[in-house]
PDB file of all heavy atoms in Angstrom:
ATOM      1  N   GLY A 271      10.995 -25.443  43.145  1.00 92.00           N
ATOM      2  CA  GLY A 271      10.542 -24.585  42.136  1.00 92.00           C
ATOM      3  C   GLY A 271      10.773 -23.148  42.542  1.00 92.00           C
ATOM      4  O   GLY A 271      11.892 -22.742  42.843  1.00 92.00           O
ATOM      5  N   ASP A 272       9.756 -22.313  42.602  1.00 91.00           N
ATOM      6  CA  ASP A 272       9.882 -20.959  43.010  1.00 91.00           C
ATOM      7  C   ASP A 272       9.601 -20.709  44.466  1.00 91.00           C
ATOM      8  O   ASP A 272       9.598 -19.597  44.959  1.00 91.00           O
ATOM      9  CB  ASP A 272       8.973 -20.044  42.150  1.00 91.00           C
ATOM     10  CG  ASP A 272       7.502 -20.406  42.255  1.00 91.00           C
ATOM     11  OD1 ASP A 272       7.201 -21.427  42.864  1.00 91.00           O
ATOM     12  OD2 ASP A 272       6.721 -19.529  41.825  1.00 91.00           O
ATOM     13  N   ARG A 273       9.403 -21.764  45.202  1.00 95.00           N
ATOM     14  CA  ARG A 273       9.173 -21.649  46.673  1.00 95.00           C
ATOM     15  C   ARG A 273      10.382 -22.137  47.471  1.00 95.00           C
ATOM     16  O   ARG A 273      11.087 -23.024  46.955  1.00 95.00           O
ATOM     17  CB  ARG A 273       7.900 -22.505  47.091  1.00 95.00           C
ATOM     18  CG  ARG A 273       6.689 -21.962  46.309  1.00 95.00           C
ATOM     19  CD  ARG A 273       5.420 -22.274  46.957  1.00 95.00           C
ATOM     20  NE  ARG A 273       5.340 -21.801  48.339  1.00 95.00           N
ATOM     21  CZ  ARG A 273       4.479 -22.229  49.186  1.00 95.00           C
ATOM     22  NH1 ARG A 273       3.604 -23.158  48.877  1.00 95.00           N
ATOM     23  NH2 ARG A 273       4.448 -21.777  50.449  1.00 95.00           N
ATOM     24  N   ALA A 274      10.592 -21.540  48.641  1.00 96.00           N
ATOM     25  CA  ALA A 274      11.679 -21.932  49.447  1.00 96.00           C
ATOM     26  C   ALA A 274      11.359 -21.872  50.911  1.00 96.00           C
ATOM     27  O   ALA A 274      10.495 -21.055  51.315  1.00 96.00           O
ATOM     28  CB  ALA A 274      12.919 -21.080  49.154  1.00 96.00           C
ATOM     29  N   TRP A 275      11.923 -22.704  51.727  1.00 96.00           N
ATOM     30  CA  TRP A 275      11.750 -22.769  53.182  1.00 96.00           C
ATOM     31  C   TRP A 275      13.053 -22.740  53.878  1.00 96.00           C
ATOM     32  O   TRP A 275      14.029 -23.329  53.312  1.00 96.00           O
ATOM     33  CB  TRP A 275      10.908 -23.960  53.560  1.00 96.00           C
ATOM     34  CG  TRP A 275       9.537 -24.017  52.976  1.00 96.00           C
ATOM     35  CD1 TRP A 275       8.367 -23.430  53.499  1.00 96.00           C
ATOM     36  CD2 TRP A 275       9.192 -24.502  51.720  1.00 96.00           C
ATOM     37  NE1 TRP A 275       7.373 -23.633  52.633  1.00 96.00           N
ATOM     38  CE2 TRP A 275       7.816 -24.263  51.550  1.00 96.00           C
ATOM     39  CE3 TRP A 275       9.861 -25.185  50.663  1.00 96.00           C
ATOM     40  CZ2 TRP A 275       7.115 -24.705  50.439  1.00 96.00           C
ATOM     41  CZ3 TRP A 275       9.176 -25.561  49.550  1.00 96.00           C
ATOM     42  CH2 TRP A 275       7.795 -25.365  49.458  1.00 96.00           C
ATOM     43  N   GLN A 276      13.078 -22.186  55.057  1.00 94.00           N
ATOM     44  CA  GLN A 276      14.278 -22.208  55.882  1.00 94.00           C
ATOM     45  C   GLN A 276      13.970 -22.706  57.291  1.00 94.00           C
ATOM     46  O   GLN A 276      12.797 -22.944  57.670  1.00 94.00           O
ATOM     47  CB  GLN A 276      14.810 -20.745  56.039  1.00 94.00           C
ATOM     48  CG  GLN A 276      15.147 -20.082  54.711  1.00 94.00           C
ATOM     49  CD  GLN A 276      15.652 -18.649  54.995  1.00 94.00           C
ATOM     50  OE1 GLN A 276      16.346 -18.389  56.005  1.00 94.00           O
ATOM     51  NE2 GLN A 276      15.228 -17.745  54.132  1.00 94.00           N
ATOM     52  N   HIS A 277      15.015 -22.913  58.081  1.00 94.00           N
ATOM     53  CA  HIS A 277      14.881 -23.271  59.477  1.00 94.00           C
ATOM     54  C   HIS A 277      14.050 -24.561  59.669  1.00 94.00           C
ATOM     55  O   HIS A 277      14.143 -25.511  58.856  1.00 94.00           O
ATOM     56  CB  HIS A 277      14.357 -22.123  60.283  1.00 94.00           C
ATOM     57  CG  HIS A 277      15.099 -20.823  60.127  1.00 94.00           C
ATOM     58  ND1 HIS A 277      16.482 -20.774  60.370  1.00 94.00           N
ATOM     59  CD2 HIS A 277      14.798 -19.619  59.671  1.00 94.00           C
ATOM     60  CE1 HIS A 277      16.874 -19.505  60.112  1.00 94.00           C
ATOM     61  NE2 HIS A 277      15.840 -18.799  59.655  1.00 94.00           N
ATOM     62  N   THR A 278      13.223 -24.523  60.644  1.00 94.00           N
ATOM     63  CA  THR A 278      12.418 -25.733  61.012  1.00 94.00           C
ATOM     64  C   THR A 278      11.372 -26.011  59.931  1.00 94.00           C
ATOM     65  O   THR A 278      10.990 -27.151  59.690  1.00 94.00           O
ATOM     66  CB  THR A 278      11.700 -25.569  62.298  1.00 94.00           C
ATOM     67  OG1 THR A 278      10.894 -24.402  62.409  1.00 94.00           O
ATOM     68  CG2 THR A 278      12.713 -25.565  63.485  1.00 94.00           C
ATOM     69  N   ALA A 279      10.899 -24.983  59.181  1.00 94.00           N
ATOM     70  CA  ALA A 279       9.913 -25.254  58.141  1.00 94.00           C
ATOM     71  C   ALA A 279      10.547 -26.106  57.072  1.00 94.00           C
ATOM     72  O   ALA A 279       9.834 -27.032  56.536  1.00 94.00           O
ATOM     73  CB  ALA A 279       9.387 -23.893  57.556  1.00 94.00           C
ATOM     74  N   ALA A 280      11.812 -25.919  56.766  1.00 95.00           N
ATOM     75  CA  ALA A 280      12.552 -26.699  55.746  1.00 95.00           C
ATOM     76  C   ALA A 280      12.622 -28.146  56.291  1.00 95.00           C
ATOM     77  O   ALA A 280      12.367 -29.117  55.514  1.00 95.00           O
ATOM     78  CB  ALA A 280      13.819 -26.115  55.475  1.00 95.00           C
ATOM     79  N   ILE A 281      12.982 -28.334  57.526  1.00 95.00           N
ATOM     80  CA  ILE A 281      13.182 -29.683  58.098  1.00 95.00           C
ATOM     81  C   ILE A 281      11.799 -30.407  58.089  1.00 95.00           C
ATOM     82  O   ILE A 281      11.730 -31.555  57.631  1.00 95.00           O
ATOM     83  CB  ILE A 281      13.738 -29.611  59.505  1.00 95.00           C
ATOM     84  CG1 ILE A 281      15.146 -29.160  59.459  1.00 95.00           C
ATOM     85  CG2 ILE A 281      13.555 -30.975  60.200  1.00 95.00           C
ATOM     86  CD1 ILE A 281      15.866 -28.989  60.806  1.00 95.00           C
ATOM     87  N   PHE A 282      10.747 -29.729  58.521  1.00 95.00           N
ATOM     88  CA  PHE A 282       9.459 -30.406  58.559  1.00 95.00           C
ATOM     89  C   PHE A 282       8.997 -30.826  57.128  1.00 95.00           C
ATOM     90  O   PHE A 282       8.443 -31.889  56.880  1.00 95.00           O
ATOM     91  CB  PHE A 282       8.413 -29.526  59.191  1.00 95.00           C
ATOM     92  CG  PHE A 282       8.574 -29.299  60.655  1.00 95.00           C
ATOM     93  CD1 PHE A 282       8.155 -28.189  61.292  1.00 95.00           C
ATOM     94  CD2 PHE A 282       9.294 -30.224  61.423  1.00 95.00           C
ATOM     95  CE1 PHE A 282       8.362 -27.931  62.614  1.00 95.00           C
ATOM     96  CE2 PHE A 282       9.447 -30.037  62.818  1.00 95.00           C
ATOM     97  CZ  PHE A 282       9.045 -28.875  63.402  1.00 95.00           C
ATOM     98  N   ARG A 283       9.244 -29.935  56.191  1.00 95.00           N
ATOM     99  CA  ARG A 283       8.837 -30.296  54.749  1.00 95.00           C
ATOM    100  C   ARG A 283       9.639 -31.467  54.268  1.00 95.00           C
ATOM    101  O   ARG A 283       9.149 -32.301  53.558  1.00 95.00           O
ATOM    102  CB  ARG A 283       8.991 -29.076  53.878  1.00 95.00           C
ATOM    103  CG  ARG A 283       7.925 -27.999  54.253  1.00 95.00           C
ATOM    104  CD  ARG A 283       7.639 -27.165  53.071  1.00 95.00           C
ATOM    105  NE  ARG A 283       6.597 -26.219  53.473  1.00 95.00           N
ATOM    106  CZ  ARG A 283       5.303 -26.433  53.312  1.00 95.00           C
ATOM    107  NH1 ARG A 283       4.846 -27.522  52.792  1.00 95.00           N
ATOM    108  NH2 ARG A 283       4.458 -25.506  53.698  1.00 95.00           N
TER     109      ARG A 283
END
Side-chain angles (χ1 to χ4, degrees):
D272 61 346
R273 300 203 56 199
W275 297 270
Q276 299 178 41
H277 308 300
T278 56
I281 289 177
F282 293 150
R283 292 209 177 266

